[in-house]
Amino acid sequence: MATANDSVHGRIESARTELTATKTAIGLAFVAALGFALLFGQDPMLHDSMHNFRHAAGITCH
Amino acid sequence: MLVDYVLRGLKAGLVAGLAFGLFVALVGNPLVGLAETQSHDETGHHGEGGHHESVVSEAVTGAVSVGSGVVWGVLLGVVTFGLAYYFLEPTLPGASDTESYLLAAAGFVTVSGAPWLVLPPRPAGVEQGLPTDVRTFWYATMMVVGAAVCLLSGYAYRRLEPRFGTSTAIGGAALAFGLLGVPVLLAPANPTPGVVSTDLAASHRGFVVFGQAGLWVVLAGAHAWLVRRDRDGGPTAEGRRSAREGPQAVSSD
Protein backbone atom coordinates (compact mmCIF):
# COMPACT_ATOMS: atom_id res chain seq x y z
CA MET A 1 0.00 0.00 0.00
CA ALA A 2 1.72 3.15 -1.19
CA THR A 3 0.59 5.91 1.10
CA ALA A 4 1.60 9.53 0.84
CA ASN A 5 3.74 9.01 3.94
CA ASP A 6 6.28 6.67 2.41
CA SER A 7 8.67 9.35 1.20
CA VAL A 8 10.15 12.58 2.43
CA HIS A 9 8.07 14.41 -0.16
CA GLY A 10 4.96 12.67 1.12
CA ARG A 11 5.77 13.81 4.65
CA ILE A 12 6.22 17.40 3.50
CA GLU A 13 2.91 17.22 1.66
CA SER A 14 1.01 15.82 4.63
CA ALA A 15 2.56 18.43 6.92
CA ARG A 16 1.37 21.08 4.49
CA THR A 17 -2.21 19.86 4.66
CA GLU A 18 -2.07 19.39 8.42
CA LEU A 19 -0.75 22.81 9.40
CA THR A 20 -1.70 26.30 8.34
CA ALA A 21 1.00 28.73 7.22
CA THR A 22 0.42 30.82 10.35
CA LYS A 23 0.87 27.85 12.68
CA THR A 24 4.06 26.85 10.88
CA ALA A 25 5.41 30.40 11.04
CA ILE A 26 4.62 30.75 14.76
CA GLY A 27 6.13 27.36 15.58
CA LEU A 28 9.32 27.96 13.62
CA ALA A 29 9.70 31.50 14.99
CA PHE A 30 9.35 30.20 18.55
CA VAL A 31 11.88 27.40 18.04
CA ALA A 32 14.31 29.75 16.27
CA ALA A 33 14.01 32.41 18.98
CA LEU A 34 14.58 29.86 21.74
CA GLY A 35 17.55 28.34 19.93
CA PHE A 36 19.06 31.74 19.27
CA ALA A 37 18.63 32.83 22.89
CA LEU A 38 20.24 29.64 24.22
CA LEU A 39 23.12 29.56 21.75
CA PHE A 40 23.93 33.11 20.75
CA GLY A 41 22.08 35.62 22.96
CA GLN A 42 24.61 38.22 24.14
CA ASP A 43 22.46 40.49 26.26
CA PRO A 44 24.41 40.74 29.56
CA MET A 45 21.43 39.71 31.67
CA LEU A 46 20.68 36.71 29.44
CA HIS A 47 24.27 35.76 28.94
CA ASP A 48 25.40 35.96 32.55
CA SER A 49 22.41 33.97 33.83
CA MET A 50 23.09 31.14 31.39
CA HIS A 51 26.86 31.31 31.76
CA ASN A 52 27.34 27.92 33.47
CA PHE A 53 24.96 26.21 31.08
CA ARG A 54 26.83 27.50 28.05
CA HIS A 55 30.13 26.27 29.40
CA ALA A 56 28.65 22.92 30.36
CA ALA A 57 27.18 22.51 26.88
CA GLY A 58 30.38 23.59 25.16
CA ILE A 59 28.82 26.63 23.52
CA THR A 60 31.72 29.06 23.22
CA CYS A 61 29.85 32.10 22.06
CA HIS A 62 30.78 34.75 24.55
CA MET B 1 0.44 13.15 12.48
CA LEU B 2 3.15 15.81 12.62
CA VAL B 3 1.71 16.92 15.94
CA ASP B 4 2.08 13.35 17.31
CA TYR B 5 5.71 13.32 16.27
CA VAL B 6 6.39 16.73 17.81
CA LEU B 7 4.75 15.61 21.06
CA ARG B 8 6.89 12.47 21.11
CA GLY B 9 9.98 14.58 20.49
CA LEU B 10 8.90 16.86 23.32
CA LYS B 11 8.55 13.92 25.72
CA ALA B 12 11.94 12.48 24.79
CA GLY B 13 13.38 15.99 25.06
CA LEU B 14 11.92 16.44 28.52
CA VAL B 15 13.54 13.21 29.72
CA ALA B 16 16.92 14.18 28.26
CA GLY B 17 16.52 17.80 29.38
CA LEU B 18 15.84 16.81 32.99
CA ALA B 19 18.87 14.52 32.90
CA PHE B 20 21.03 17.28 31.47
CA GLY B 21 19.65 19.83 33.94
CA LEU B 22 20.69 17.47 36.71
CA PHE B 23 24.12 17.17 35.11
CA VAL B 24 24.46 20.97 35.02
CA ALA B 25 23.34 21.21 38.65
CA LEU B 26 25.58 18.47 40.01
CA VAL B 27 28.65 18.77 37.78
CA GLY B 28 28.35 21.86 35.56
CA ASN B 29 27.78 24.57 38.15
CA PRO B 30 30.51 23.52 40.58
CA LEU B 31 33.04 22.71 37.84
CA VAL B 32 32.56 25.97 35.93
CA GLY B 33 32.91 27.86 39.20
CA LEU B 34 36.08 25.96 40.02
CA ALA B 35 37.55 26.59 36.57
CA GLU B 36 36.78 30.26 36.89
CA THR B 37 38.56 30.61 40.25
CA GLN B 38 41.50 28.60 39.03
CA SER B 39 42.02 30.59 35.85
CA HIS B 40 41.64 33.79 37.85
CA ASP B 41 44.43 32.62 40.10
CA GLU B 42 46.61 31.71 37.18
CA THR B 43 46.11 34.59 34.79
CA GLY B 44 44.88 37.29 37.12
CA HIS B 45 42.40 39.85 35.87
CA HIS B 46 42.86 40.59 32.24
CA GLY B 47 41.89 43.51 30.07
CA GLU B 48 38.58 42.52 28.56
CA GLY B 49 36.91 41.34 31.73
CA GLY B 50 33.72 40.41 29.92
CA HIS B 51 31.78 37.74 31.74
CA HIS B 52 33.81 37.80 34.93
CA GLU B 53 31.90 40.73 36.36
CA SER B 54 28.47 39.15 36.19
CA VAL B 55 25.39 41.34 36.32
CA VAL B 56 23.48 38.61 38.16
CA SER B 57 24.28 36.73 41.34
CA GLU B 58 25.89 33.32 41.36
CA ALA B 59 22.66 31.73 42.61
CA VAL B 60 20.72 33.16 39.68
CA THR B 61 23.35 31.93 37.23
CA GLY B 62 23.20 28.47 38.77
CA ALA B 63 19.42 28.27 38.71
CA VAL B 64 18.98 29.72 35.22
CA SER B 65 21.74 27.46 33.92
CA VAL B 66 19.94 24.38 35.21
CA GLY B 67 16.69 25.63 33.66
CA SER B 68 18.48 26.35 30.40
CA GLY B 69 19.82 22.79 30.45
CA VAL B 70 16.27 21.44 30.67
CA VAL B 71 15.06 23.78 27.90
CA TRP B 72 18.09 22.78 25.81
CA GLY B 73 17.10 19.12 25.98
CA VAL B 74 13.47 19.89 25.17
CA LEU B 75 14.47 22.07 22.22
CA LEU B 76 16.80 19.42 20.81
CA GLY B 77 14.08 16.81 21.30
CA VAL B 78 11.44 18.85 19.48
CA VAL B 79 13.69 19.88 16.61
CA THR B 80 15.52 16.59 16.10
CA PHE B 81 12.96 13.98 17.06
CA GLY B 82 9.83 16.02 16.48
CA LEU B 83 10.53 17.78 13.21
CA ALA B 84 13.62 16.19 11.63
CA TYR B 85 12.50 12.64 12.46
CA TYR B 86 9.06 13.26 11.01
CA PHE B 87 10.45 14.43 7.67
CA LEU B 88 13.42 12.05 7.44
CA GLU B 89 11.89 8.86 8.86
CA PRO B 90 11.04 7.39 5.41
CA THR B 91 14.66 7.69 4.32
CA LEU B 92 16.58 6.84 7.52
CA PRO B 93 18.32 3.46 7.25
CA GLY B 94 17.90 0.65 9.74
CA ALA B 95 15.30 -0.47 12.27
CA SER B 96 13.52 2.12 14.39
CA ASP B 97 16.05 2.00 17.25
CA THR B 98 18.90 2.48 14.78
CA GLU B 99 17.00 5.38 13.24
CA SER B 100 16.81 7.15 16.59
CA TYR B 101 20.49 6.67 17.37
CA LEU B 102 21.59 7.69 13.86
CA LEU B 103 19.54 10.83 14.10
CA ALA B 104 21.00 11.55 17.53
CA ALA B 105 24.51 11.14 16.13
CA ALA B 106 23.66 13.56 13.31
CA GLY B 107 22.22 15.96 15.86
CA PHE B 108 25.37 15.79 17.98
CA VAL B 109 27.56 16.47 14.93
CA THR B 110 25.37 19.40 13.87
CA VAL B 111 24.89 21.11 17.22
CA SER B 112 28.21 20.35 18.92
CA GLY B 113 30.67 18.18 17.02
CA ALA B 114 31.15 20.28 13.89
CA PRO B 115 31.31 23.65 15.74
CA TRP B 116 33.81 22.17 18.21
CA LEU B 117 36.21 21.43 15.34
CA VAL B 118 36.67 25.20 14.98
CA LEU B 119 35.85 26.27 18.55
CA PRO B 120 36.67 23.50 21.00
CA PRO B 121 35.09 23.84 24.46
CA ARG B 122 37.13 26.14 26.66
CA PRO B 123 37.02 26.32 30.44
CA ALA B 124 35.29 29.32 31.99
CA GLY B 125 37.43 32.38 32.57
CA VAL B 126 39.76 31.67 29.67
CA GLU B 127 40.25 34.65 27.42
CA GLN B 128 39.73 33.86 23.73
CA GLY B 129 41.61 35.44 20.85
CA LEU B 130 38.70 35.84 18.44
CA PRO B 131 36.02 38.47 19.13
CA THR B 132 32.56 37.22 20.10
CA ASP B 133 30.80 38.03 16.83
CA VAL B 134 33.44 36.17 14.80
CA ARG B 135 33.06 33.12 17.05
CA THR B 136 29.26 33.29 16.84
CA PHE B 137 29.52 33.44 13.06
CA TRP B 138 31.78 30.38 12.92
CA TYR B 139 29.71 28.42 15.41
CA ALA B 140 26.57 29.04 13.36
CA THR B 141 28.37 28.32 10.08
CA MET B 142 29.70 25.03 11.40
CA MET B 143 26.20 24.05 12.52
CA VAL B 144 24.93 24.58 8.97
CA VAL B 145 27.93 22.73 7.50
CA GLY B 146 27.47 19.91 10.02
CA ALA B 147 23.79 19.48 9.12
CA ALA B 148 24.61 19.56 5.40
CA VAL B 149 27.36 16.95 5.79
CA CYS B 150 25.03 14.66 7.77
CA LEU B 151 22.36 14.94 5.06
CA LEU B 152 24.95 14.32 2.36
CA SER B 153 26.22 11.30 4.27
CA GLY B 154 22.72 9.86 4.50
CA TYR B 155 22.14 10.57 0.82
CA ALA B 156 25.42 8.85 -0.12
CA TYR B 157 24.39 5.79 1.92
CA ARG B 158 20.99 5.65 0.22
CA ARG B 159 22.48 5.89 -3.27
CA LEU B 160 25.38 3.46 -2.72
CA GLU B 161 23.63 0.77 -0.70
CA PRO B 162 21.47 -0.85 -3.43
CA ARG B 163 24.33 -0.93 -5.95
CA PHE B 164 27.45 -1.72 -3.92
CA GLY B 165 26.21 -3.22 -0.67
CA THR B 166 26.17 -2.09 2.92
CA SER B 167 29.88 -1.86 3.69
CA THR B 168 30.69 0.32 0.66
CA ALA B 169 27.70 2.48 1.50
CA ILE B 170 28.92 2.95 5.08
CA GLY B 171 32.35 3.85 3.72
CA GLY B 172 30.84 6.42 1.37
CA ALA B 173 28.72 7.85 4.17
CA ALA B 174 31.82 8.14 6.38
CA LEU B 175 33.80 9.84 3.59
CA ALA B 176 31.23 12.64 3.50
CA PHE B 177 32.38 13.68 6.98
CA GLY B 178 35.80 14.45 5.53
CA LEU B 179 34.19 17.55 4.01
CA LEU B 180 34.07 19.01 7.53
CA GLY B 181 37.82 19.53 7.14
CA VAL B 182 37.35 22.22 4.47
CA PRO B 183 35.74 24.91 6.65
CA VAL B 184 38.05 23.92 9.52
CA LEU B 185 41.05 24.78 7.34
CA LEU B 186 39.45 28.08 6.32
CA ALA B 187 38.50 29.12 9.84
CA PRO B 188 40.76 31.53 11.73
CA ALA B 189 42.71 30.26 14.74
CA ASN B 190 41.37 31.10 18.19
CA PRO B 191 44.44 31.52 20.40
CA THR B 192 44.22 31.85 24.16
CA PRO B 193 46.47 34.73 25.19
CA GLY B 194 46.55 33.80 28.86
CA VAL B 195 48.22 30.80 30.42
CA VAL B 196 45.78 27.89 30.51
CA SER B 197 46.51 24.79 32.53
CA THR B 198 46.44 21.85 30.13
CA ASP B 199 44.94 19.65 32.86
CA LEU B 200 42.11 22.08 33.35
CA ALA B 201 41.51 22.39 29.61
CA ALA B 202 41.53 18.62 29.09
CA SER B 203 39.23 17.85 32.00
CA HIS B 204 36.84 20.57 30.93
CA ARG B 205 36.75 19.20 27.40
CA GLY B 206 36.11 15.71 28.70
CA PHE B 207 33.28 16.87 30.91
CA VAL B 208 31.62 18.86 28.10
CA VAL B 209 31.90 16.05 25.55
CA PHE B 210 30.55 13.57 28.09
CA GLY B 211 27.63 15.87 28.89
CA GLN B 212 26.55 16.43 25.30
CA ALA B 213 27.16 12.85 24.15
CA GLY B 214 25.21 11.63 27.18
CA LEU B 215 22.39 14.04 26.42
CA TRP B 216 22.04 12.66 22.89
CA VAL B 217 22.21 9.04 24.04
CA VAL B 218 19.44 9.63 26.59
CA LEU B 219 17.43 11.52 23.99
CA ALA B 220 17.75 8.73 21.42
CA GLY B 221 17.07 6.02 24.00
CA ALA B 222 13.94 7.76 25.28
CA HIS B 223 12.74 8.37 21.74
CA ALA B 224 13.37 4.79 20.63
CA TRP B 225 11.44 3.61 23.67
CA LEU B 226 8.52 5.93 22.91
CA VAL B 227 8.42 4.80 19.27
CA ARG B 228 8.37 1.16 20.37
CA ARG B 229 5.64 1.86 22.91
CA ASP B 230 3.53 3.67 20.28
CA ARG B 231 3.96 0.80 17.82
CA ASP B 232 3.13 -1.91 20.32
CA GLY B 233 -0.09 -0.50 21.69
CA GLY B 234 -2.66 2.24 21.73
CA PRO B 235 -5.44 2.81 19.21
CA THR B 236 -3.86 5.89 17.65
CA ALA B 237 -0.52 4.15 17.33
CA GLU B 238 -2.21 1.24 15.60
CA GLY B 239 -3.70 3.58 13.03
CA ARG B 240 -0.36 5.27 12.51
CA ARG B 241 1.43 2.02 12.02
CA SER B 242 -1.03 0.68 9.49
CA ALA B 243 -0.77 3.94 7.60
CA ARG B 244 2.99 3.69 7.55
CA GLU B 245 3.73 0.03 7.09
CA GLY B 246 0.68 -1.33 5.34
CA PRO B 247 -1.87 -3.86 6.60
CA GLN B 248 0.50 -6.86 6.71
CA ALA B 249 2.54 -5.24 9.45
CA VAL B 250 -0.51 -4.96 11.68
CA SER B 251 -1.46 -8.60 11.38
CA SER B 252 2.07 -9.87 11.90
CA ASP B 253 1.91 -9.92 15.70
Side-chain angles (χ1 to χ4, degrees):
Chain A
M1 196 174 79
T3 62
N5 293 326
D6 286 335
S7 67
V8 174
H9 282 290
R11 291 287 169 108
I12 293 171
E13 279 311 310
S14 60
R16 202 172 278 169
T17 53
E18 203 176 324
L19 295 176
T20 63
T22 326
K23 269 187 192 169
T24 313
I26 291 172
L28 287 182
F30 180 70
V31 164
L34 202 56
F36 184 83
L38 282 174
L39 282 165
F40 304 130
Q42 290 301 327
D43 178 77
M45 193 76 169
L46 191 70
H47 168 266
D48 288 354
S49 332
M50 296 195 307
H51 180 235
N52 292 0
F53 156 72
R54 287 218 178 140
H55 274 290
I59 303 164
T60 55
C61 305
H62 57 76
Chain B
M1 192 168 131
L2 174 57
V3 177
D4 293 335
Y5 276 69
V6 171
L7 274 178
R8 196 161 56 192
L10 189 81
K11 285 179 203 163
L14 201 59
V15 173
L18 288 172
F20 189 64
L22 201 64
F23 177 74
V24 173
L26 297 179
V27 190
N29 282 341
L31 213 61
V32 172
L34 183 75
E36 210 135 67
T37 356
Q38 204 173 333
S39 56
H40 267 287
D41 294 345
E42 275 168 21
T43 62
H45 280 277
H46 36 68
E48 204 185 29
H51 54 270
H52 296 292
E53 282 76 35
S54 180
V55 298
V56 295
S57 73
E58 228 170 275
V60 171
T61 302
V64 176
S65 289
V66 171
S68 304
V70 178
V71 175
W72 180 237
V74 172
L75 185 72
L76 295 179
V78 167
V79 172
T80 315
F81 287 106
L83 300 175
Y85 183 74
Y86 172 78
F87 289 114
L88 297 176
E89 191 191 12
T91 190
L92 282 171
S96 77
D97 279 22
T98 320
E99 285 180 344
S100 294
Y101 286 101
L102 274 177
L103 202 56
F108 175 78
V109 168
T110 301
V111 177
S112 301
W116 286 348
L117 292 176
V118 174
L119 301 163
R122 294 263 161 87
V126 170
E127 198 181 358
Q128 309 211 41
L130 291 175
T132 304
D133 51 345
V134 175
R135 274 182 283 133
T136 305
F137 167 78
W138 276 101
Y139 200 98
T141 305
M142 288 310 286
M143 284 175 76
V144 175
V145 173
V149 165
C150 288
L151 287 173
L152 181 71
S153 168
Y155 181 75
Y157 181 88
R158 272 279 165 233
R159 295 306 295 259
L160 292 172
E161 203 254 348
R163 251 175 291 176
F164 303 103
T166 310
S167 44
T168 315
I170 291 175
L175 269 184
F177 287 96
L179 287 176
L180 284 173
V182 177
V184 171
L185 289 177
L186 294 174
N190 184 25
T192 47
V195 187
V196 187
S197 139
T198 45
D199 281 353
L200 179 67
S203 62
H204 179 80
R205 205 165 293 174
F207 132 79
V208 170
V209 172
F210 175 81
Q212 288 304 290
L215 170 69
W216 284 103
V217 169
V218 173
L219 198 52
H223 183 258
W225 184 82
L226 287 167
V227 169
R228 241 179 292 136
R229 193 195 61 170
D230 283 356
R231 280 199 184 151
D232 292 344
T236 52
E238 200 66 21
R240 257 205 311 277
R241 181 173 66 166
S242 59
R244 190 163 48 233
E245 293 174 5
Q248 76 280 6
V250 179
S251 55
S252 69
D253 56 19

